Amino acid sequence: MSSMRSFEKIKAVTFEKMLSFEKARRLVEEHAERVSPPEVETIDLLAALGRVLAEDILADRDFPPFPRATRDGYAVRSADLTKVPARLEVIAEIKAGETPEQSAVVVGHGQAASIMTGAPLPAGADAVVMVEYTSPTDHAVEVQRGVSAGENFVPRGAEALAGRLLLNSGQRLDHAGIAIAASVGKSHVKVFRKPRVAVLSTGDELVGIDATPGPVQIRNSNSYSLAAQIQNAGGEAVILPVAPDERGRLRPLIEEGLQFDLLLLAGGVSMGKYDLVEQVLAELQAEFYFTGAEIQPGRPAVFGSCAARYFFGLPGNPVSTMVTFELFARPMIEALAGMASRPLIFLRARLKSEIRTKTGLKRFLPATLSGEFENAEVELMPWQGSGDISALARANCYIVIPPERERIEVGEWVPLLLR
Ligand code: AMP
Ligand code: MG
């Protein structure tokens, strides 16, 4: 313990920049705001899921382009239905895809046109009465319910007028964004090139995942979880060879990692004698924005820049690595990917089992969100601490515990970070 203290002291003198979670996060966001946009490429819309738009997408015409019926029924003049039941003469049938010219229909007083969902409302009509409230007779229809003008159709241009912005450059394409691009006829879209993110795991105990580990060796899982998280955040991961806890071998790998758009290091940032990451980065004239955040797991997380590249030193305990990636590295990768910034927001659910913890750190603890429909409830996953990936893999979220809370009662609304 006394030797640990002396290391802590050295570290405090050399690097110590411990921030609250919020300050650390905002600092990353501020730096992320300043990164320059990546290069642009044009790709097939079918390959664009998860890519970040590098162009604005505008409405190429009015949406909808004609007053569009939203129900199957009868196009009517609402004034004809002030008294119901009413009998109207049926003068036409209008299908989706039929132009008003083709059908040449004008609905006059006392008249109606049978109309299908998606078909253009004919001239003269100002509403659609649902088929459920009608009974057809020969060339006529009896309507049991009145409608207000404007009911059951969308006026031309009501969703978007031609030229209106539908999707912003910087927006990540999901299925809805892809639907928009398709609907304005963009079979190819301009997207930002993915940033290349180097992953450098450190530790003498680590072996490759194909190796048979010795009794005290550990397979390198962090490089793989990080690669997955990087892809998920819109980047491309490049896994570098594992660095041993040796200055001379760590340094060239860090230098190699600094050639990429971003460098993520895992391990070697705690207080131990062989935690050399910060020392080597300091030798390389790195600037440190923080060297710790008041969180658990992940307290020793480091953020800085070196040779015009940002880096994160994430603690090596696998759960800490994953949590600190989500909290700090993700917004930087998203910015490097050209994504518009977005705030981190915690949702809330009711606590299912009481929580007792210690004060002082903001905690992000693996938890299970269960229940159904409006009745979500959440409880902590029993775990063995930040090395326990098997607990994490069974969890589906983190409960966020504020640093001042010692005890949280069943039924309280607690904040969550989904994963
Ligand atoms: P460190 O942050 O280097 O002190 O490592 C903390 C703990 O995480 C130790 O138990 C390491 O064995 C473990 N660890 C570090 N790096 C990795 C990795 N790449 N994969 C799996 N476990 C790791
Ligand atoms: Mg280590």
Side-chain angles (χ1 to χ4, degrees), residues 19-25 295 327-328 344 346 362 364:
L19 301 182
S20 70
F21 164 66
E22 290 75 10
K23 281 202 175 125
R25 167 81 191 195
I295 57 171
L327 297 178
F328 303 125
L344 180 65
F346 303 134
K362 187 159 197 142
F364 296 85

Side-chain angles (χ1 to χ4, degrees), residues 136-159:
T137 60
D138 251 4
H139 304 294
V141 62
E142 193 188 89
V143 181
Q144 284 97 31
R145 279 208 199 179
V147 278
S148 311
E151 244 182 276
N152 297 328
F153 76 94
V154 183
R156 173 173 180 160
E159 294 163 3

Side-chain angles (χ1 to χ4, degrees), residues 248-306:
R249 295 187 48 202
L250 181 56
R251 184 171 163 142
L253 285 166
I254 288 185
E255 285 173 317
E256 188 183 338
L258 289 169
Q259 308 294 313
F260 291 82
D261 295 312
L262 179 68
L263 168 60
L264 298 186
L265 295 124
V269 291
S270 316
M271 301 295 183
K273 188 172 171 184
Y274 297 101
D275 289 324
L276 303 169
V277 163
E278 282 152 280
Q279 296 178 30
V280 171
L281 281 160
E283 279 169 26
L284 294 168
Q285 312 300 320
E287 189 178 347
F288 294 91
Y289 306 120
F290 60 80
T291 59
E294 287 156 0
I295 57 171
Q296 194 245 336
R299 192 167 185 264
V302 176
F303 171 46
S305 64
C306 186

Side-chain angles (χ1 to χ4, degrees), residues 6-68:
S6 67
F7 275 113
E8 221 166 307
K9 217 167 161 189
I10 293 166
K11 186 164 165 148
V13 172
T14 335
F15 303 118
E16 177 88 48
K17 267 186 199 161
M18 176 69 69
L19 301 182
S20 70
F21 164 66
E22 290 75 10
K23 281 202 175 125
R25 167 81 191 195
R26 293 212 182 100
L27 202 55
V28 175
E29 288 173 349
E30 280 164 27
H31 282 274
E33 289 282 345
R34 285 186 235 142
V35 303
S36 38
E39 284 163 34
V40 173
E41 57 188 352
T42 300
I43 59 166
D44 196 291
L45 184 60
L46 277 173
L49 180 66
R51 299 299 299 270
V52 181
L53 270 179
E55 60 176 329
D56 290 337
I57 303 251
L58 309 179
D60 63 329
R61 55 181 186 154
D62 290 344
F63 278 75
F66 54 86
R68 183 184 62 211

Side-chain angles (χ1 to χ4, degrees), residues 148-378:
S148 311
E151 244 182 276
N152 297 328
F153 76 94
V154 183
R156 173 173 180 160
E159 294 163 3
L161 291 174
R164 214 194 87 175
L165 187 64
L166 298 177
L167 297 174
N168 287 288
S169 173
Q171 206 166 327
R172 198 166 184 197
L173 285 168
D174 63 2
H175 57 279
I178 284 179
I180 294 283
S183 70
V184 303
K186 301 231 33 136
S187 55
H188 291 80
V189 282
K190 286 187 182 140
V191 295
F192 290 116
R193 189 181 64 83
K194 291 184 188 184
R196 300 182 76 218
V197 181
V199 177
L200 178 51
S201 285
T202 73
D204 283 341
E205 74 280 28
L206 301 179
V207 295
I209 59 171
D210 293 322
T212 306
V216 294
Q217 289 181 317
I218 302 287
R219 288 198 186 93
N220 167 21
S221 62
N222 282 343
S223 292
Y224 294 86
S225 58
L226 282 174
Q229 286 178 291
I230 289 164
Q231 283 176 42
N232 191 264
E236 186 188 314
V238 179
I239 297 180
L240 300 182
V242 169
D245 295 317
E246 231 177 89
R247 248 173 241 269
R249 295 187 48 202
L250 181 56
R251 184 171 163 142
L253 285 166
I254 288 185
E255 285 173 317
E256 188 183 338
L258 289 169
Q259 308 294 313
F260 291 82
D261 295 312
L262 179 68
L263 168 60
L264 298 186
L265 295 124
V269 291
S270 316
M271 301 295 183
K273 188 172 171 184
Y274 297 101
D275 289 324
L276 303 169
V277 163
E278 282 152 280
Q279 296 178 30
V280 171
L281 281 160
E283 279 169 26
L284 294 168
Q285 312 300 320
E287 189 178 347
F288 294 91
Y289 306 120
F290 60 80
T291 59
E294 287 156 0
I295 57 171
Q296 194 245 336
R299 192 167 185 264
V302 176
F303 171 46
S305 64
C306 186
R309 289 289 190 279
Y310 287 109
F311 64 81
F312 290 89
L314 308 178
N317 254 320
V319 179
S320 312
T321 315
M322 294 182 213
V323 171
T324 49
F325 176 94
E326 289 303 321
L327 297 178
F328 303 125
R330 176 182 277 275
M332 182 58 80
I333 292 173
E334 290 181 351
L336 290 165
M339 259 179 82
S341 64
R342 58 196 174 115
L344 180 65
I345 300 173
F346 303 134
L347 303 178
R348 284 175 191 262
R350 282 193 189 278
L351 189 63
K352 193 176 174 186
S353 333
E354 185 194 59
I355 295 177
R356 283 164 182 274
T357 179
K358 289 190 194 123
T359 58
L361 298 173
K362 187 159 197 142
R363 288 171 209 272
F364 296 85
L365 302 182
T368 320
L369 185 62
S370 59
E372 197 187 24
F373 304 134
E374 290 84 358
N375 303 308
E377 45 185 18
V378 68

